[in-house]
Amino acid sequence: MANQFRLSNNLDYLRFVLKRNRRFMILMTSAMVVLYPVLVLTISLINPQVNVNNLRPVGQVFTLILLIVSALTIPILTLGYMNSKKHLDVYHALPIKHRDLLSINIIAAFVLMLIPFTIAWFLGGVVSLSLDFTLMDLGMTWLGSLMIVSAVMSILIFTLMHTGTSIDGLLYGLVLNFLPILTYGAYIAFSAIVLLGFNGDYIARYVGIIFPIWSIFENVFEIEIRLWDHILLNGLYWLIISAILLALSHIIYAKRRHDKAESPFTNPYFFPAVSAVVSVVLIFLMYAGFYTLSEGNNQNFFNPLNFIFPFFFTAVIYLVMDVISQRSFKYLYKAMLRYVFIAVVGFGLLLGGLASKGFGYITRIPDLDDVTQIAFRFDDYQNFVLPVQLNNNYYMTNQSDFIFTDEKGIAAIHELHEVILNEYKWINYSNRNYWSYPNGLVNTIEDSAGYKKSYEDFPYNASSYEGSTVYTSITYTLKNGSTISRSYNIPYEWTLSIQDLAYNPAVIRAHALALFADVRYPYLKQISLTNAFSDAYVNLDPTFFDLESFRQVYTADFNRLGELGNEAMVSPTAGYVKFNQCRMDTLTSDCTESKILISERHTETLAYLKTMDRDFPAFGSGSDYKFLLFLPDGKDDDFTFYMPIGQNTWINQWGNYSKLGQYSSTYVELSKEQFELIKNYTTNIGILSEASYSLRVGKKIGSASQSDGQFNQYEFFGNALVLPEYKDEVEALIQDLPRIIITDPYQFMNLKQ
């Protein structure tokens, strides 16, 4: 009987709270409906051609903003009685347990938020349904959004347990909602400025698990940077946090100093704790920002002037917070003393982080035996180090991201990381200019007293000019499941250790992009065999081409060649297999095109292609082509005389650059007949140990009139190198041809008629 009476009282009180706040609910429902379903429906009726998939996100954004506003304001309405002594006396006199009173008001707050959002979300979803947004998507986004926004509301409710006025509850509720992202921002800013090797590639994925307001939008729009890619998984995470906060709120409510209502804080430790954390975060954030503004002056991290602005700026913010909390200037001097103590702690942590190189972050490298996988990115767009057949098609998966799980691959990248740390240790970590802007870094390091080189040199000039760098990131996965991630801009000279990975199984995607096409392009519409040097082609019938069988034989050849080593695998190019893959089952839709190089050593692949009853076509007419043979000088040879590259790779590096950036190159022009003889002696795969002749074939793409005559314009792709055993024969063939020396790297692309 007692339980029945208790339940009846609780339900009556719940109805009372809902009825009292119904006007707010009506207003919020009206606003959400107008800004989502009405907006989408009206524009669709005015312009039936408009894509509803472009309208829906606009309405959803407006509705989610209002949902967040509701989560931050409704608890003030339902729990506002806690901030009035008069109201507390009345409410606590009701025949309802204090714990039940809090629970009912929280339930009422959630219902007041739930009803407007549900009406607007489902009405808007129904009028904007499409193939890309089904009823399932509608339900999932609705449920996920409510689960996440419950955390926003719970943080505010938790704050109200410590404050004595509604304005303080709202203000500090916002502070606690934004404090995690502010702290994370300070960590990112400090790390990016101070820590050599800090990898920012993955920082955005963690925002959604520390900042619920962002997580709501991230979840609904399925942003790819999410840590977890399932709507309900993200929602469940925040729902658990919400439940924990509400449980703590019930515990604190039972012990709350209700006699402190109408004063700023009912918990005397709340403001000191929050303000201290905010101040320490600001110290780190202001230091990073101020150093960034003045880092061009080649200054040390420990320059005392770098600490002046962060100290006084944070002091002003702290004093303002204290005055607001006290509602008076009476305790300003005491606040100054408290800030001095906070500043000592904050700057102690800052100096500790600087002196310890990020508490060991900079110099940490995992033991090789603990590594199970390495995610490796190497943005060698010019193929200075790795002759991978980059297609530069933005539709496709990034081709410079590789996952290594084999011992050889892991060891090579681990060795590169050791080289990086061994070289950087010769400079002062406390001066960002040494490692953030590495022009001339190699010379700076080598001039250090007692310097010992930790890497082997390339046999050729690895970079175009002094100071050329390459971006690389290394993410280790360890046996215990944890990860360590670092990124650097490093001189090319340090990277020889990874050249043996050019034909590692992990990089096959970069050589044969079409075999690993993005899932957005599932339809194979055209296949052709193309000549090794021209655009001559013959088509294959896609209906009889088994892509999986081709993938298997090509992979077998690729792995076998990789075991031979870079120099042993060199062989003439048979031609290319060209793929045209589309988003839809029609060639008029969005499509992407790529080629795969096939050499004479790809025996299993060639055998499979023979079953298609087609051969690689002949070169064809040479009337629109230029045939140039570039000659190494044997002194300061460029990487292009060692690194053969296929036609399917974009490359705009064509000759010798000195370390000072001065260009010079020598070539001879071949006839079609001479080209036909020499092409059989060339290779487009592997890496040579000695410089060799570079054969370039350019196709005419236009003409232009200049002051000194009419010029033809040519486009060159690929870099075929003469096999070492045929160099003497080629030398005899070209010995009487005139040598042409150019000092403009693009001069040979513009040839006079």
Side-chain angles (χ1 to χ4, degrees):
M1 192 69 180
N3 287 335
Q4 264 189 326
F5 180 73
R6 175 185 174 189
L7 178 61
S8 176
N9 284 342
N10 290 349
L11 290 175
D12 287 342
Y13 178 70
L14 177 61
R15 283 191 290 269
F16 164 75
V17 175
L18 293 176
K19 184 177 180 180
R20 188 181 62 179
N21 293 285
R22 67 184 182 276
R23 290 182 178 85
F24 176 89
M25 188 165 55
I26 292 171
L27 177 63
M28 189 58 67
T29 302
S30 301
M32 288 184 176
V33 168
V34 168
L35 290 174
Y36 188 6
V38 173
L39 175 67
V40 172
L41 188 60
T42 303
I43 296 178
S44 299
L45 291 173
I46 294 173
N47 183 10
Q49 303 301 319
V50 71
N51 189 342
V52 72
N53 292 325
N54 296 329
L55 288 178
R56 186 190 316 105
V58 178
Q60 288 177 333
V61 167
F62 284 136
T63 305
L64 292 175
I65 291 174
L66 291 177
L67 177 65
I68 293 167
V69 171
S70 299
L72 293 171
T73 54
I74 292 176
I76 302 294
L77 299 177
T78 61
L79 295 172
Y81 73 90
M82 295 193 306
N83 300 321
S84 168
K85 294 179 181 179
K86 178 181 176 181
H87 290 163
L88 272 170
D89 291 340
V90 173
Y91 278 76
H92 284 176
L94 294 173
I96 301 174
K97 290 185 177 181
H98 291 181
R99 183 181 181 87
D100 290 347
L101 187 67
L102 177 62
S103 298
I104 294 169
N105 280 288
I106 292 174
I107 293 171
F110 191 79
V111 172
L112 290 168
M113 180 180 65
L114 169 69
I115 293 175
F117 177 69
T118 301
I119 293 172
W121 197 258
F122 276 92
L123 285 177
V126 168
V127 300
S128 61
L129 288 175
S130 69
L131 292 176
D132 295 327
F133 190 78
T134 64
L135 285 173
M136 177 65 73
D137 298 320
L138 176 60
M140 295 276 278
T141 53
W142 170 79
L143 182 58
S145 299
L146 287 174
M147 293 167 76
I148 299 173
V149 82
S150 68
V152 178
M153 179 182 284
S154 298
I155 292 172
L156 186 70
I157 293 171
F158 178 78
T159 307
L160 289 172
M161 299 301 112
H162 303 278
T163 57
T165 69
S166 296
I167 188 65
D168 285 296
L170 178 60
L171 175 64
Y172 285 94
L174 288 171
V175 169
L176 290 189
N177 264 289
F178 281 87
L179 185 56
I181 188 62
L182 182 66
T183 304
Y184 190 56
Y187 162 72
I188 298 301
F190 174 79
S191 300
I193 294 299
V194 172
L195 300 182
L196 169 67
F198 177 74
N199 190 352
D201 290 350
Y202 303 97
I203 58 176
R205 68 171 55 184
Y206 297 106
V207 174
I209 62 171
I210 61 174
F211 187 33
I213 293 176
W214 165 257
S215 182
I216 294 171
F217 295 96
E218 181 185 66
N219 216 32
V220 168
F221 299 110
E222 298 184 337
I223 298 176
E224 293 182 358
I225 59 173
R226 292 183 299 174
L227 184 62
W228 303 309
D229 61 359
H230 196 282
I231 291 176
L232 295 185
L233 183 59
N234 287 281
L236 181 62
Y237 167 81
W238 283 111
L239 187 63
I240 292 173
I241 292 179
S242 176
I244 293 172
L245 289 173
L246 291 177
L248 290 173
S249 297
H250 279 81
I251 295 172
I252 296 169
Y253 184 78
K255 300 179 180 180
R256 185 175 184 264
R257 292 285 303 275
H258 296 297
D259 59 309
K260 293 286 186 179
E262 300 178 4
S263 62
F265 301 99
T266 60
N267 181 352
Y269 303 106
F270 182 75
F271 173 76
V274 172
S275 60
V277 173
V278 170
S279 298
V280 172
V281 168
L282 282 177
I283 287 172
F284 277 81
L285 196 60
M286 290 301 104
Y287 173 85
F290 189 77
Y291 184 88
T292 301
L293 294 175
S294 56
E295 66 177 331
N297 295 322
N298 197 30
Q299 59 170 318
N300 192 285
F301 287 140
F302 297 97
N303 185 344
L305 297 176
N306 288 326
F307 301 95
I308 294 176
F309 178 81
F311 177 85
F312 286 104
F313 180 86
T314 307
V316 171
I317 298 298
Y318 179 82
L319 294 178
V320 169
M321 288 192 298
D322 186 80
V323 168
I324 293 174
S325 69
Q326 299 291 342
R327 306 293 198 272
S328 169
F329 292 94
K330 182 178 179 180
Y331 303 101
L332 191 62
Y333 294 117
K334 289 184 178 180
M336 290 180 181
L337 292 176
R338 288 195 297 270
Y339 173 71
V340 170
F341 175 76
I342 293 171
V344 168
V345 175
F347 281 98
L349 292 172
L350 176 61
L351 290 170
L354 294 173
S356 65
K357 302 179 177 63
F359 301 104
Y361 179 99
I362 293 177
T363 54
R364 184 187 178 193
I365 182 170
D367 292 334
L368 187 59
D369 293 338
D370 290 337
V371 180
T372 60
Q373 174 183 292
I374 294 181
F376 182 60
R377 177 166 183 169
F378 193 71
D379 290 345
D380 181 19
Y381 296 117
Q382 297 298 328
N383 304 107
F384 289 139
V385 181
L386 296 179
V388 295
Q389 312 300 325
L390 294 177
N391 208 269
N392 281 350
N393 189 325
Y394 74 93
Y395 289 118
M396 311 299 281
T397 304
N398 193 315
Q399 301 158 77
S400 55
D401 292 335
F402 310 116
I403 304 295
F404 292 91
T405 56
D406 63 297
E407 291 184 6
K408 181 180 178 181
I410 291 175
I413 298 169
H414 191 271
E415 180 183 346
L416 173 64
H417 197 178
E418 289 180 327
V419 167
I420 293 171
L421 296 184
N422 286 335
E423 292 299 308
Y424 271 122
K425 74 180 181 182
W426 294 99
I427 62 174
N428 185 1
Y429 286 120
S430 298
N431 190 323
R432 175 176 167 79
N433 286 273
Y434 279 128
W435 46 267
S436 182
Y437 308 102
N439 291 327
L441 176 63
V442 173
N443 290 338
T444 302
I445 291 176
E446 291 180 352
D447 290 340
S448 302
Y451 169 74
K452 292 182 180 179
K453 184 179 291 187
S454 63
Y455 61 92
E456 295 182 32
D457 289 319
F458 284 92
Y460 52 81
N461 290 338
S463 57
S464 300
Y465 56 91
E466 190 171 63
S468 290
T469 61
V470 57
Y471 173 80
T472 182
S473 69
I474 304 170
T475 302
Y476 299 95
T477 299
L478 308 184
K479 289 180 178 178
N480 61 9
S482 63
T483 60
I484 299 174
S485 188
R486 301 290 184 267
S487 66
Y488 307 90
N489 277 302
I490 58 175
Y492 275 100
E493 286 81 353
W494 298 355
T495 61
L496 179 64
S497 63
I498 66 166
Q499 196 165 68
D500 286 339
L501 304 181
Y503 294 91
N504 185 282
V507 303
I508 188 173
R509 180 187 299 269
H511 292 268
L513 185 61
L515 304 185
F516 305 92
D518 193 294
V519 293
R520 293 173 295 174
Y521 300 87
Y523 296 98
L524 180 60
K525 300 306 298 178
Q526 282 186 342
I527 308 173
S528 58
L529 304 181
T530 68
N531 184 268
F533 294 93
S534 74
D535 56 6
Y537 69 93
V538 294
N539 286 326
L540 302 179
D541 189 343
T543 59
F544 295 106
F545 190 91
D546 186 349
L547 187 61
E548 181 57 34
S549 296
F550 182 81
R551 181 186 290 113
Q552 292 176 4
V553 295
Y554 180 85
T555 301
D557 281 332
F558 185 89
N559 293 339
R560 179 174 49 79
L561 290 176
E563 294 175 358
L564 294 177
N566 292 334
E567 188 174 1
M569 72 173 65
V570 295
S571 58
T573 300
Y576 299 86
V577 182
K578 181 178 175 182
F579 294 83
N580 196 303
Q581 292 157 297
C582 301
R583 186 186 294 270
M584 304 293 288
D585 193 15
T586 170
L587 278 172
T588 60
S589 67
D590 186 9
C591 299
T592 183
E593 189 177 277
S594 61
K595 291 181 178 180
I596 298 177
L597 183 150
I598 308 297
S599 77
E600 292 182 359
R601 287 183 180 268
H602 287 81
T603 53
E604 292 189 40
T605 307
L606 289 171
Y608 176 79
L609 293 175
K610 282 290 185 183
T611 65
M612 306 300 294
D613 196 27
R614 288 289 190 275
D615 294 320
F616 288 101
F619 185 92
S621 173
S623 58
D624 288 334
Y625 288 86
K626 281 289 183 182
F627 311 99
L628 307 181
L629 192 69
F630 283 76
L631 315 178
D633 62 15
K635 299 177 182 178
D636 194 26
D637 290 323
D638 190 74
F639 79 101
T640 52
F641 295 107
Y642 293 79
M643 191 84 70
I645 299 170
Q647 281 190 344
N648 53 337
T649 298
W650 174 258
I651 178 172
N652 56 22
Q653 176 76 22
W654 297 109
N656 283 358
Y657 277 95
S658 71
K659 285 298 181 182
L660 298 178
Q662 297 171 336
Y663 177 87
S664 176
S665 197
T666 303
Y667 70 86
V668 297
E669 186 172 337
L670 304 175
S671 65
K672 174 71 177 335
E673 292 73 21
Q674 290 168 326
F675 160 73
E676 290 287 354
L677 291 173
I678 292 177
K679 71 177 179 64
N680 297 321
Y681 303 151
T682 63
T683 182
N684 291 101
I685 68 168
I687 301 174
L688 304 184
S689 60
E690 60 181 73
S692 188
Y693 300 109
S694 172
L695 177 62
R696 316 283 172 81
V697 178
K699 183 179 181 181
K700 181 180 176 181
I701 57 173
S703 59
S705 297
Q706 298 183 14
S707 58
D708 54 345
Q710 188 77 9
F711 285 76
N712 289 330
Q713 297 172 330
Y714 293 87
E715 186 175 44
F716 290 79
F717 287 94
N719 181 44
L721 297 184
V722 173
L723 295 166
E725 59 266 31
Y726 296 111
K727 287 175 62 176
D728 291 340
E729 293 183 40
V730 172
E731 173 62 30
L733 185 65
I734 66 170
Q735 61 181 347
D736 296 329
L737 297 179
R739 269 54 174 171
I740 302 172
I741 300 176
I742 56 176
T743 56
D744 179 350
Y746 303 102
Q747 183 177 342
F748 69 92
M749 298 183 186
N750 232 11
L751 300 178
K752 192 172 183 179
Q753 292 182 6

